[in-house]
Amino acid sequence: MPHILAEEEAIATSEGRTARFVAGARRTWTIIRRHRVILFVTMALCMLAGAVLILMSTPDYRATASVEVEDVPAGAAGAGALQRAATPEDTASLMQTELEVLRSRALAESVARELALVGTPTFFQGMGKRRPAQGTGTLSQRQVEQEAVIGLLRENLDVELPGKSRVLRISFTSADPVLSARVANSYADSLIRADLKRGFDSGVQARRFLLGELDGARRDLERAERDMAVYAARTGVAGDEEKAGGATALPAQGSTTARLDQLNAFRAQAMADRIAAQKRWESARLASAETLPEVLGNGAMQQLMAERAQARAAIVEERQFRKDDHPEMREARARLAALDDQAQAMAGTIRASLKEQYDVAVHGERQIAAEIADLERQAVVERGRDVQLGIMERTVDTYRMLHDSLLQRYRDMASQAGFQAGRIQPLDRAAVPSRPSSPNIGITMLLASLGGLALGLLLVAGRHMFDDAVTSAQTLAERADVPLLGAVPVTGDSPQPPEIFTPIAASLQLASPAGLPRSILVTSAQEGEGKSLTLHALALALAKLGKTVLVIDGDMRRPAQHRLFRVAPAAGISEALTGQAAAQELIVDTGVPGVSLLACGAMPPNPAELLSTPALDALLAEMTGRYDSILVDAPPILGLTDAPLLAAKTQATVLVVEWGRNHHGGLRVAVERLRRAGGSIVGAILTKQQGRAQDYDYHRAG
């Protein structure tokens, strides 16, 4: 259920918006239709101004040349290998740069020099301008003329970039078609020359830069080679060239390493020999000399030991037969002792030789270790020299490659200098235009009509906003908040036909809950709006509807009803209010069935005092019962107090408003005065309407 209610509310809101839009459109159309003369006149004047402008304008001729802009100049040195793919941003930046170059002062000066525009009156005649005759300030006449030429060239130049293309359209406009074509073509040629010059200048600058870099690379290469040669000479290390020839001042790093390997092998062998000699010496030092393997393995020692054994065996054998003191026994013991001493001496000699072998092994090991240490230090030094020499050799190689690359690049650029195509290529030459480009009659008249329409709408809106003249039911409601009973056309000063007021009279019968008001005051904001004529015609229309009407001419300052009814002036309301005669005696027959007249009578010196007396109330009360309605003609509201006094005494008030006359709030002030006095305004009648008869705006407004 809430969902349905929300949908209904949304539909109602949408319908309300549509209704407001339709109502606003209708109001707008009504305003435009009401002021259509202003709109049409404004459009006609603008179109006339456009036609005059076309007739008075000097025809201008527009010539257009076009050029194509490429990414990279064809044949540029290094373009193929180093050029990256162009992005849309690069292309847009390139085209914008060329546009700014075309609009630059430098290119305008180039065109002026090429065509010799300064110093001759031809250019100024073609541009429809006056040639400067003298200088100004510190500038000479030629300088002033040159500035004028450059200014005209830049002002009348038009550069276009169609879409996202690489084509530039160069257009120039002047009063001379030949001049336009010459200047456009000159701009295109100057742009191409400027591009070629920029390419040539950039090539020259690039070659100069490469030449400087090449000199620097050559100096760096020479310095690196010289440093390497000095280092090799100082350290005694040959470079690559000397090594290739086999000339070496000292053993190379390879021979030092081989020698170290050999000495390490000798060192291991010497260490093994020293350990073996040490073991033999330790065994010989701690054990008995006769038990040493070296002693036992010695041939002389073995022979000596055999002789000792034989001597001992002989002593044992002799002891069986002889005493120890026997000379042969002593001789045998002496020989054994000599053999023992000889054995001890030989064992000591063998032990001393073992000790000497151990000492020799220790000394040899130490000597080899010292030599190895010297070679290791030498290898470290040689390795450092080789590393430094390798660094220098790589530096030399790097500088050599850089030098060779720059030299090749310089040779390429030098060989291609003067043969490079420009970035900008000619596409179309500007032809001499056969017809003027401006003024364009169709576009000018279209703009004039659109401008006239816009200006007319602005004038209509301004008139509607600042003009408070009443011209329709809508404006009457806006200006005075009074409903419109009807409108009547212009008929001069003659009485209005009653047929026109018949609808208005019918409307008055619905003006109050009781029907036709018993007393109706007819007045206007100011004089000359047709209130008396309106009252006269309204009385006749009510009479045709079968109503009995009493017309009271309450305008004691300028009475007119007796003249309209063609009745001779006689005594009237003035005498009735002053008590000179009874009102019934003063009422005359108008000759129209159902219509009676109480004329003004004598004009009093102060009508306001007379109208404010209770006698008028008594008069109206007396006549109300005898007639269906009393129509009171009153003076204008503004400037007088008569109408507000009469409005307070009558049941209803009808305001007569002249079409398009009431301005600056006068009608609003009049209505406020009546309402403050107590008058009840039932509606207004619009008189002297411009246009067709019976054209009732209140029907269209509804």
Side-chain angles (χ1 to χ4, degrees):
M1 191 66 179
H3 180 67
I4 297 176
L5 294 176
E7 289 183 354
E8 292 178 353
E9 183 177 357
I11 293 173
T13 304
S14 176
E15 292 178 352
R17 292 175 182 173
T18 304
R20 288 194 298 271
F21 176 77
V22 172
R26 288 179 177 176
R27 287 194 299 270
T28 303
W29 173 248
T30 302
I31 294 171
I32 294 175
R33 185 176 181 274
R34 186 167 62 246
H35 301 291
R36 59 186 176 273
V37 176
I38 296 177
L39 183 62
F40 293 152
V41 170
T42 304
M43 291 183 63
L45 291 176
C46 288
M47 294 184 70
L48 179 62
V52 172
L53 179 63
I54 292 173
L55 294 176
M56 297 181 62
S57 297
T58 302
D60 291 331
Y61 295 87
R62 180 186 180 96
T64 303
S66 59
V67 295
E68 181 182 3
V69 182
E70 299 178 354
D71 281 332
V72 179
L82 301 178
Q83 181 68 14
R84 64 178 177 86
T87 62
E89 291 78 9
D90 296 336
T91 302
S93 177
L94 172 63
M95 302 307 296
Q96 189 63 35
T97 301
E98 297 301 334
L99 287 176
E100 294 302 324
V101 170
L102 277 169
R103 300 188 183 105
S104 65
R105 177 185 176 89
L107 205 64
E109 292 176 350
S110 176
V111 172
R113 286 193 302 269
E114 180 186 1
L115 299 180
L117 301 180
V118 180
T120 57
T122 306
F123 176 72
F124 290 96
Q125 293 174 0
M127 298 302 299
K129 301 292 183 180
R130 179 177 297 177
R131 181 185 179 188
Q134 59 185 1
T136 57
T138 59
L139 300 179
S140 63
Q141 187 272 340
R142 185 174 181 83
Q143 290 175 332
V144 173
E145 183 177 351
Q146 182 178 2
E147 292 296 325
V149 168
I150 293 174
L152 290 173
L153 287 175
R154 299 180 70 181
E155 289 174 4
N156 293 274
L157 176 68
D158 187 16
V159 185
E160 298 178 356
L161 179 61
K164 297 182 179 180
S165 67
R166 293 179 177 270
V167 176
L168 292 176
R169 293 179 180 173
I170 307 170
S171 302
F172 190 79
T173 304
S174 70
D176 186 355
V178 177
L179 177 64
S180 298
R182 289 180 60 205
V183 173
N185 290 326
S186 178
Y187 258 105
D189 296 340
S190 298
L191 181 64
I192 294 173
R193 284 197 302 271
D195 177 67
L196 290 173
K197 186 176 183 301
R198 286 198 304 270
F200 180 77
D201 292 342
S202 63
V204 171
Q205 293 177 1
R207 289 195 297 276
R208 289 177 180 174
F209 173 76
L210 282 177
L211 188 58
E213 293 295 315
L214 185 59
D215 292 339
R218 183 170 55 252
R219 289 192 297 269
D220 292 339
L221 178 59
E222 292 174 353
R223 185 179 64 254
E225 289 178 343
R226 185 169 54 252
D227 293 343
M228 186 178 70
V230 171
Y231 180 78
R234 187 175 65 250
T235 58
V237 179
D240 291 342
E241 295 81 359
E242 296 179 357
K243 289 181 180 179
T248 56
L250 288 177
Q253 179 67 26
S255 61
T256 303
T257 304
R259 180 63 177 164
L260 277 175
D261 295 340
Q262 184 180 6
L263 289 177
N264 283 324
F266 291 162
R267 182 179 183 179
Q269 184 62 39
M271 186 179 295
D273 294 342
R274 190 263 305 167
I275 293 173
Q278 184 178 2
K279 288 182 179 180
R280 289 194 300 270
W281 162 244
E282 292 292 336
S283 299
R285 186 170 60 84
L286 299 176
S288 174
E290 292 147 355
T291 61
L292 293 176
E294 291 80 1
V295 176
L296 296 176
N298 192 331
M301 191 66 181
Q302 290 178 0
Q303 184 179 359
L304 186 60
M305 292 297 291
E307 292 179 355
R308 285 179 63 189
Q310 292 177 0
R312 284 194 185 95
I315 292 174
V316 172
E317 185 178 357
E318 288 293 334
R319 187 172 288 163
Q320 292 178 2
F321 302 105
R322 298 178 177 92
K323 297 292 186 178
D324 291 334
D325 293 333
H326 191 276
E328 291 182 5
M329 287 295 290
R330 286 198 295 272
E331 183 180 358
R333 285 198 297 273
R335 187 173 63 233
L336 179 59
L339 291 173
D340 289 337
D341 292 338
Q342 188 177 358
Q344 286 295 331
M346 187 174 293
T349 300
I350 293 173
R351 181 179 290 176
S353 67
L354 291 176
K355 178 64 169 66
E356 186 177 359
Q357 291 177 3
Y358 170 69
D359 292 338
V360 170
V362 171
H363 178 71
E365 183 182 5
R366 289 177 179 174
Q367 186 177 3
I368 292 174
E371 188 173 355
I372 289 175
D374 292 340
L375 280 178
E376 286 179 348
R377 286 192 296 271
Q378 183 179 354
V380 170
V381 173
E382 290 180 356
R383 188 161 50 250
R385 288 199 299 266
D386 292 341
V387 169
Q388 183 64 29
L389 187 61
I391 293 174
M392 289 185 172
E393 289 176 351
R394 287 192 296 273
T395 303
V396 169
D397 293 339
T398 301
Y399 283 131
R400 183 177 292 113
M401 287 188 294
L402 178 60
H403 176 269
D404 294 342
S405 175
L406 291 174
L407 181 59
Q408 184 62 36
R409 183 72 180 276
Y410 180 77
R411 289 172 179 171
D412 293 340
M413 293 190 67
S415 64
Q416 294 177 359
F419 299 98
Q420 297 180 1
R423 184 191 300 270
I424 301 176
Q425 302 296 327
L427 192 60
D428 291 329
R429 301 289 293 177
V432 177
S434 59
R435 62 180 61 183
S437 59
S438 66
N440 191 313
I441 298 177
I443 295 179
T444 302
M445 296 306 295
L446 177 62
L447 293 177
S449 60
L450 293 177
L453 178 62
L455 181 60
L457 291 176
L458 288 176
L459 292 177
V460 168
R463 181 175 178 81
H464 176 71
M465 291 175 61
F466 298 104
D467 183 19
D468 59 354
V470 177
T471 56
S472 65
Q474 179 180 354
T475 55
L476 182 63
E478 291 176 356
R479 305 295 189 264
D481 192 19
V482 175
L484 181 65
L485 297 176
V488 294
V490 177
T491 58
D493 294 333
S494 59
Q496 301 283 357
E499 292 80 6
I500 299 177
F501 285 85
T502 300
I504 301 176
S507 299
L508 284 176
Q509 297 186 46
L510 305 175
S512 67
L516 183 67
R518 304 306 298 272
S519 59
I520 301 174
L521 177 68
V522 179
T523 184
S524 62
Q526 50 191 335
E527 62 178 345
E529 297 190 55
K531 62 177 180 61
S532 298
L533 292 173
T534 299
L535 185 144
H536 176 266
L538 189 59
L540 299 180
L542 288 173
K544 291 189 66 175
L545 294 177
K547 304 295 183 180
T548 56
V549 179
L550 173 63
V551 176
I552 299 178
D553 195 351
D555 188 354
M556 298 181 182
R557 302 176 187 273
R558 189 175 296 176
Q561 294 300 326
H562 66 282
R563 177 175 53 82
L564 295 175
F565 282 102
R566 297 178 182 179
V567 176
I573 188 173
S574 298
E575 288 76 8
L577 294 179
T578 56
Q580 299 178 18
Q584 185 63 34
E585 298 174 356
L586 300 175
I587 296 174
V588 297
D589 187 14
T590 62
V592 179
V595 179
S596 302
L597 172 65
L598 179 58
C600 172
M603 290 186 292
N606 192 350
E609 292 182 0
L610 189 60
L611 294 175
S612 61
T613 60
L616 180 60
D617 297 332
L619 174 63
L620 293 175
E622 178 184 356
M623 297 301 163
T624 298
R626 299 180 181 180
Y627 298 93
D628 294 330
S629 182
I630 301 174
L631 301 181
V632 181
D633 188 3
I637 302 172
L638 299 178
L640 301 173
T641 60
D642 301 4
L645 292 174
L646 291 172
K649 298 178 182 296
T650 56
Q651 185 178 356
T653 300
V654 173
L655 191 64
V656 176
V657 181
E658 183 178 349
W659 187 92
R661 179 180 178 184
N662 289 278
H663 299 281
H664 308 297
L667 178 62
R668 189 180 302 109
V669 173
V671 171
E672 290 177 356
R673 287 189 63 185
L674 287 179
R675 287 174 175 169
R676 283 198 303 268
S680 176
I681 302 176
V682 296
I685 299 175
L686 196 61
T687 62
K688 304 180 183 180
Q689 182 187 19
Q690 302 293 332
R692 297 174 298 171
Q694 305 297 336
D695 191 6
Y696 301 108
D697 285 350
Y698 62 91
H699 291 302
R700 292 196 306 271

